[in-house]
């Protein structure tokens, strides 16, 4: 027999971890809703051109990391799994004519992304992002709203020490001039460039600035800075964004080397890091403005901005910071239905079904083990009550044991759901106040 394993760079989220992801997703969804971002779901795969055009051919994400799907027939299109959500969402914006909606259109999604990257801690081939996009507003106020929204998500998720790094990468008016200057600088240091970077120099010089190659660090430190080459409009936009962030009390650090890995960004670019974790060079989120993207994908010129936050890394850092999302409590059953008669599976199922129909979290123990063992298992699960089916069933009654208080009483089956629900609510209320 072959041994099957999850593909390299992917992992299974077993219930405890899946629950933590679901908890983060719930925080994200609620928060985005509070800010007026409405959910959108786009396919996990798109025509490859959506990413090639949208993200840019000469980027790590498209050149090396795109999961391409082999065409199945002569006529079928070239598809690829989404490496990030923005291009697909903008494709949907264009396809469905969302430019006719009140602008900006605020959208959010949470889901898996796919990159054929070299797997390591915090870098997976399938990973989850919380994403927001505001399409149809040139900013800079909305840029500040989005930067602050990301910070608030991290804070409500329980992360501490999150920092914003900020830059402006110009626009089609000023970036070409800057790229010339930057190209000339690197050409002057041709001998020091690693082979990959030398190859990119003439194709996409900006990529050299965010190279992960340690050999580039010193060279990039001394490189010409884009913020010294912004046109008047981009300079004013950047200054106004900073003023908005200052007014909101949002701290940030200007990071001239921050250019983001994707081609479609203009002006605002930002990333989130956790203080003291810089060595790992792993952002927990990033985003930016993409004023040319809608047009690139066939729409009319429309500005936009958004972010993608990496949920896998948030979970990783929460672990490092010793913080757990508190969901264990809510996962425990309110009641477990057990029976003295090992053959009475129908009775246990019927009572548990009844309890669930009134909204209780109820599990029936369907095994054939002894009553004492069933009760032990219920207590281990953190159940509040055990409903014990025994001889009293003949009189339409069951025993209810409060596993937390250690008390037991007899209850009419007809009243069971209502009574347990009342006790559970009272208990939750009491706990909530205490
Ligand atoms: P990017 O679009 O590359 O800036 O990605 C946005 C965020 O997604 C990053 O800041 C990470 O938190 C997360 N992310 C990107 N790539 C990966 C990956 N391969 N594995 C896990 N998280 C990732």
């Amino acid at each position: 027999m072959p041994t099957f394993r999850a593909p390299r760079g992917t992992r299974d989220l077993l219930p405890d971890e899946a629950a933590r992801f679901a908890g983060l997703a719930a925080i994200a969804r609620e928060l985005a809703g509070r800010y007026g971002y409405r959910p959108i779901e786009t396919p996990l795969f798109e025509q490859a051109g959506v990413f090639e055009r949208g993200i840019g051919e000469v980027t790590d994400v498209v050149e090396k990391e795109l999961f391409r799907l082999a065409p199945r027939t002569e006529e079928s299109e070239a598809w690829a799994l989404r490496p990030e959500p923005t291009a697909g969402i903008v494709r949907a914006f264009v396809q469905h004519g969302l430019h006719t909606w009140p602008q900006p259109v605020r959208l959010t999604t949470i889901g898996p992304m796919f990159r054929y990257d070299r797997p390591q801690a915090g870098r997976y081939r399938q990973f989850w992002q919380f994403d927001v996009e505001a399409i149809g507003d040139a900013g800079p106020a909305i840029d500040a709203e989005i930067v602050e929204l990301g910070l608030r998500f991290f804070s409500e998720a329980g992360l501490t020490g999150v920092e914003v790094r900020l830059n402006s990468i110009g626009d089609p008016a000023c970036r070409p001039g800057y790229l010339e200057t930057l190209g000339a600088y690197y050409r002057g240091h041709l001998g020091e460039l690693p082979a990959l970077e030398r190859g990119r120099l003439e194709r996409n010089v900006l990529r050299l600035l965010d190279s992960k190659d340690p050999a580039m660090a010193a060279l990039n430190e001394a490189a010409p800075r884009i913020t010294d080459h912004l046109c008047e409009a981009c300079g004013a936009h950047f200054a106004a964004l900073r003023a908005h962030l200052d007014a909101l009390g949002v701290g940030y650090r200007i990071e001239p080397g921050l250019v983001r890995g994707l081609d479609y960004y203009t002006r605002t670019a930002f990333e989130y890091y956790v203080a003291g974790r810089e060595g790992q060079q792993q952002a927990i989120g990033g985003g930016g403005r993409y004023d040319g993207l809608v047009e690139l994908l066939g729409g009319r010129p429309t500005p936009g901005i958004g972010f993608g936050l990496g949920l896998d890394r948030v979970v990783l850092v929460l672990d490092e910071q010793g913080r757990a999302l508190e969901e264990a409590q809510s996962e425990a059953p309110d009641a477990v239905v057990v029976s003295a008669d090992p053959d009475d599976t129908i009775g246990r199922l019927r009572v548990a079904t009844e309890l669930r129909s009134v909204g209780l979290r109820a599990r029936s123990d369907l095994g054939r083990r002894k009553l004492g063992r069933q009760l032990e298992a219920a207590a281990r699960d953190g159940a509040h009550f055990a409903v014990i089916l025994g001889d009293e069933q003949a009189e339409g009654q069951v025993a209810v044991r409060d596993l937390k208080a250690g008390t037991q009483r007899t209850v009419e089956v007809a009243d069971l759901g209502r009574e347990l629900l009342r006790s559970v609510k009272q208990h939750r209320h009491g706990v909530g106040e205490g």
Side-chain angles (χ1 to χ4, degrees), residues 98-117:
L98 303 198
H99 64 275
T100 60
W101 292 14
Q103 307 283 296
V105 180
R106 286 183 169 87
L107 300 168
T108 182
T109 202
I110 300 165
M113 309 297 153
F114 306 86
R115 294 185 194 174
Y116 193 74
D117 210 340

Side-chain angles (χ1 to χ4, degrees), residues 61 65 83-85 115 117-118 120 122-129 260-262 264-265 270-272 282-287 307-314:
V61 166
E65 298 170 5
E84 55 82 49
R115 294 185 194 174
D117 210 340
R118 201 164 41 80
Q120 59 187 70
R123 182 171 302 146
Y124 308 102
R125 289 179 171 170
Q126 175 175 339
F127 59 96
W128 275 259
Q129 275 190 358
R260 308 275 302 141
L262 318 179
Y264 55 58
Y265 288 109
F270 57 96
E271 285 183 333
Y272 301 94
Q282 286 191 346
I284 51 173
F307 67 50
L309 312 184
L311 298 186
D312 308 73
R313 291 186 190 171
V314 171

Side-chain angles (χ1 to χ4, degrees), residues 8 11-12 23 28 51 139 144 169 181 186 192 214 221 254 275 322 339 358 363 369 386 391 394 399 414 417 429:
R8 198 164 114 77
R11 66 212 199 289
D12 302 307
F51 307 120
I169 56 169
T181 311
Y186 285 121
E192 299 157 57
E221 184 62 32
I254 309 265
S339 176
V358 301
R363 176 171 77 65
R369 51 191 172 177
D391 297 339
H429 199 57

Side-chain angles (χ1 to χ4, degrees), residues 71-345:
R72 301 185 62 103
T73 65
E74 254 347 58
E75 317 82 70
S76 72
E77 298 168 303
W79 291 321
L81 298 181
R82 64 180 185 189
E84 55 82 49
T86 309
I89 289 176
V90 167
R91 192 266 313 138
F93 180 95
V94 173
Q95 179 177 340
H96 303 287
L98 303 198
H99 64 275
T100 60
W101 292 14
Q103 307 283 296
V105 180
R106 286 183 169 87
L107 300 168
T108 182
T109 202
I110 300 165
M113 309 297 153
F114 306 86
R115 294 185 194 174
Y116 193 74
D117 210 340
R118 201 164 41 80
Q120 59 187 70
R123 182 171 302 146
Y124 308 102
R125 289 179 171 170
Q126 175 175 339
F127 59 96
W128 275 259
Q129 275 190 358
F130 162 37
D131 178 84
V132 307
E133 312 289 347
I135 309 177
D137 186 326
I142 193 117
D143 305 35
E145 172 182 291
I146 285 194
V147 170
E148 191 269 339
L149 166 52
L151 270 183
R152 190 167 302 275
F153 168 73
F154 292 125
S155 136
E156 298 205 354
L159 279 189
T160 52
V162 178
E163 296 175 348
V164 179
R165 303 202 186 155
L166 185 68
N167 197 19
S168 172
I169 56 169
D171 70 0
C174 51
R175 198 157 47 206
Y178 169 69
L179 295 182
E180 296 252 326
T181 311
L182 192 63
Y185 167 77
Y186 285 121
R187 259 176 250 115
H189 295 84
L190 209 53
E192 299 157 57
L193 295 182
L196 175 71
E197 311 301 343
R198 205 174 306 162
R200 285 172 159 182
L201 177 52
E202 302 309 328
R203 294 187 299 151
N204 190 343
V205 64
L206 210 52
R207 293 285 74 81
L208 275 64
L209 262 191
D210 71 352
S211 166
K212 292 168 199 142
D213 194 324
M216 294 292 290
L219 213 52
N220 285 345
E221 184 62 32
R225 305 186 153 194
I226 185 146
T227 38
D228 296 331
H229 293 78
L230 294 178
C231 60
E232 211 178 306
C234 286
H237 187 278
F238 194 40
L241 167 57
R242 291 185 331 251
H244 279 78
L245 291 173
D246 294 341
L248 288 177
V250 172
Y252 53 86
R253 195 168 93 201
I254 309 265
E255 181 95 0
L258 198 168
V259 291
R260 308 275 302 141
L262 318 179
D263 266 2
Y264 55 58
Y265 288 109
T266 51
R267 295 188 171 170
T268 308
F270 57 96
E271 285 183 333
Y272 301 94
Y273 284 84
V274 174
R277 237 178 150 268
E278 289 85 354
Q280 316 204 18
Q281 277 312 313
Q282 286 191 346
I284 51 173
R289 178 161 282 289
Y290 46 81
D291 292 346
L293 183 58
V294 177
E295 199 177 1
L296 257 181
L297 293 180
R300 54 187 74 185
T302 311
I305 180 165
F307 67 50
L309 312 184
L311 298 186
D312 308 73
R313 291 186 190 171
V314 171
V315 169
L316 209 72
V317 180
L318 280 172
D319 283 343
E320 286 175 11
Q321 295 187 345
R323 277 156 210 273
L325 282 171
E326 288 176 18
E327 74 279 292
Q329 183 76 20
S330 64
E331 286 215 331
D334 297 316
V336 174
V337 185
V338 300
S339 176
D341 173 4
D343 291 326
D344 186 17
T345 45

